[in-house]
Amino acid sequence: MKNLVIVGAGQSAAQCVLTLKRNNFEESIVVVGEEDHLPYQRPPLSKEYLSGDVELNRVYMKTQDFYDQNKVTVKIATKALSLDRKEKMVHLSKGEAIPYENLVLATGSRVRQLEVEGSDLKNINYLRSINDSNNLKDQFKKGKNLVIIGAGYIGLEVAAAAVKKGLKVTVVEMEDRVMNRTVDPIISEYFDTLHRNKGVEIILGSALEKFEGKTHVEKVVCTDGTVLEADSVVVGVGILPNQEIAESAGLKCSNGILVDEFGRTEDPSVFACGDCTNHPNFYLNKNIRLESVHNALEQAKTVALSLLGKQEKYDQVPWFWSDQFEDKLQIVGISGDHDKTVVRGSIEERLFMLFYLKKGELIAVDSVNNPKDFLIAKKLVANKVKISSDVLCDQSVDLKDLLK
């Protein structure tokens, strides 16, 4: 019997299985996951699940019954150690080796860990898994001091959840503004003000020097001389692609596993999808590695269709979101290469959009608390429309009309 093996058990792996089953894929499927959980969604781990608003069963993509009924074997708490492409075998941590006809690498990514003095102390947290979120929940006790290293999405989302639980929260960021890597200063200033008004202390332009404590972290020492009392710490300083199993098997990797527009590696029987891939993006006209749920799901669909012999090119405009307190930030496109920004709406009324233009062409949009217009903005960016800044900021103009 032909056998499909999927290494990795995150959202991308689960979506690949779902798409295959919806298209009547009859071959045997084995999913290999390192964690002791069925495939699940990661975004709630720093938001609703962390704050206790969502139960664990709502975090899972599908129940065990689904996999049983669809004859999908999910091997949890099992690590894929190596890949033998010649023999078409995956060697697992429990001494087992399983054959494959086709292989999907959906290995995802891992947190970038700090190597500073005191980094081995207890209560220093990295947030990537359900277990990480559970551990952090246990440390969310009213009045305790939480220090967060890094003011990216994860750091600010955790800060929001912690403040709601009554913790004293300090965020330390080495750059001069929050979310420096992904948004314009206008958006940074908005969310900086939001957090400070909610009671979060934010220290900018200062990096972590070391942690101090006997067994548990007690103090965070910053490079500017600031010393912060800490009962617990969350570190959010980026993630790295899990490409080692591909690399050791001789597959080309460069900041991710290199795949084509159909999710294929250079080996015709090995595919890859999700955070671990470096893939061509035709909208941006370059190769890119994306850390996003949208990419993980949509690229998984592309790979599933490729396995079914239905080649559909993966050509998606990147988009992302972040929930912080009651505010929702939604982003479409990559704004880094813009030459002009236009604000539409009211920053004071907490309902606005920021349009990024390059030579008059709309390349990206940041939307704050405006999900309805964001749906239209996604289409505008995808269509690479050229719009004057006067039209964009004029709220009497319906964005839908710009699609015509």
Side-chain angles (χ1 to χ4, degrees), residues 25-38:
F25 185 80
E26 296 297 336
E27 296 170 17
S28 167
I29 302 177
V30 179
V31 178
V32 180
E34 200 171 332
E35 294 183 48
D36 52 359
H37 293 279
L38 292 173

Side-chain angles (χ1 to χ4, degrees), residues 89-229:
M89 300 286 284
V90 181
H91 295 272
L92 308 179
S93 56
K94 296 179 180 178
E96 188 182 357
I98 52 175
Y100 67 85
E101 182 70 22
N102 286 304
L103 176 71
V104 176
L105 298 174
T107 48
S109 51
R110 64 188 182 278
V111 294
R112 188 188 299 274
Q113 298 209 1
L114 295 176
E115 294 182 5
V116 299
E117 184 181 337
S119 56
D120 57 344
L121 292 169
K122 293 181 181 178
N123 284 9
I124 295 175
N125 305 272
Y126 292 87
L127 186 52
R128 190 66 183 160
S129 69
I130 286 175
N131 294 344
D132 293 338
S133 194
N134 287 340
N135 290 338
L136 189 54
K137 271 186 184 183
D138 292 340
Q139 297 164 38
F140 269 23
K141 293 181 172 60
K142 189 174 182 179
K144 294 292 185 179
N145 294 304
L146 172 67
V147 177
I148 298 171
I149 309 300
Y153 297 141
I154 292 293
L156 295 180
E157 287 167 6
V158 171
V163 164
K164 288 179 183 176
K165 292 294 181 182
L167 281 80
K168 299 174 184 176
V169 181
T170 303
V171 177
V172 179
E173 170 57 52
M174 65 187 297
E175 301 293 344
D176 60 357
R177 59 187 177 90
V178 304
M179 296 187 290
N180 174 76
R181 194 166 61 93
T182 52
V183 298
D184 185 87
I186 291 172
I187 302 293
S188 292
E189 183 179 351
Y190 176 86
F191 280 94
D192 183 293
T193 301
L194 171 69
H195 279 263
R196 291 181 195 271
N197 287 344
K198 295 286 188 178
V200 178
E201 181 182 356
I202 300 176
I203 299 173
L204 299 171
S206 181
L208 169 71
E209 183 173 308
K210 62 180 178 178
F211 299 114
E212 291 183 346
K214 292 179 181 177
T215 57
H216 295 67
V217 66
E218 296 172 16
K219 292 181 180 178
V220 174
V221 181
C222 303
T223 52
D224 66 354
T226 301
V227 179
L228 302 168
E229 299 291 327

Side-chain angles (χ1 to χ4, degrees), residues 337-340 356-364 386:
D337 202 21
H338 70 279
D339 54 34
K340 189 170 188 177
Y356 299 87
L357 301 168
K358 182 182 179 182
K359 296 180 180 177
E361 181 182 297
L362 184 63
I363 63 168
K386 287 204 170 188

Side-chain angles (χ1 to χ4, degrees), residues 6-18:
I6 302 176
V7 175
Q11 281 186 267
S12 207
Q15 184 61 60
C16 190
V17 170
L18 288 170

